[in-house]
Amino acid sequence: MKKINIACIIDDDPIFIFGTKRIMQLTNFCEGFMIFHNGKEAYENLKAIIINKEKLPDIILLDLNMPVWDGWQFLDEFIQIPNKTEITIYIITSSVDPEDIEKAKSYDAVSNYIVKPITIDKLKELMI
């Protein structure tokens, strides 16, 4: 399994963030974390990192339902930022709405759509 350098979690649920970080630590998934609680906060911070040519996350776990900016708003804006670094984006959400699943497929930047909760086995699949 390949190890991720930085994993970015964009989610407003502190329990999900805590649990996901814990699972990542137990599976030795990554070296570090970036945590953002809504899409706008994530966008502004990641855009600044890109502009300053700092180290970006290798992977983004993106929730859809958040305050301020939801996951769709984040995606719509984030994919407009010119960036040469490849970032793998996974939508991790509680939504089982077929419209959300189909909409996710329309984004080239989205690698997969995963329904919460995330498990150790699912995390290991992401590492392959």
Side-chain angles (χ1 to χ4, degrees), residues 19-37:
T20 302
K21 279 179 64 177
R22 188 71 186 126
I23 289 171
M24 288 180 168
Q25 291 164 339
L26 289 172
T27 58
N28 203 25
F29 183 81
C30 61
E31 293 290 328
F33 301 96
M34 287 182 185
I35 308 293
F36 303 110
H37 301 286

Side-chain angles (χ1 to χ4, degrees), residues 45-56 82-85:
N45 282 276
L46 292 171
K47 182 178 180 182
I49 289 169
I50 291 168
I51 289 169
N52 295 320
K53 295 180 172 54
E54 296 171 6
K55 183 73 176 138
L56 283 164
N83 177 29
K84 292 183 174 85
T85 304

Side-chain angles (χ1 to χ4, degrees), residues 8-14 16-17 34-43 46 60-76 78 89-95 100 116:
C8 177
I9 301 171
I10 306 172
D11 199 303
D12 63 319
D13 180 352
F16 173 79
I17 293 169
M34 287 182 185
I35 308 293
F36 303 110
H37 301 286
N38 66 66
K40 189 170 198 285
E41 177 190 14
Y43 170 78
L46 292 171
I60 293 175
L61 305 181
L62 176 65
D63 187 23
L64 292 181
N65 302 309
M66 296 177 286
V68 187
W69 278 15
D70 64 22
W72 301 124
Q73 290 168 295
F74 168 81
L75 271 174
D76 289 339
F78 185 71
I89 301 174
Y90 294 97
I91 291 178
I92 311 281
T93 183
S94 56
S95 174
D100 284 341
K116 290 178 181 178

Side-chain angles (χ1 to χ4, degrees), residues 59-63 88-92 109-114 125-128:
I59 186 172
I60 293 175
L61 305 181
L62 176 65
D63 187 23
T88 305
I89 301 174
Y90 294 97
I91 291 178
I92 311 281
V110 174
S111 294
N112 205 342
Y113 188 99
I114 299 164
E125 284 178 32
L126 302 182
M127 293 175 75
I128 296 173

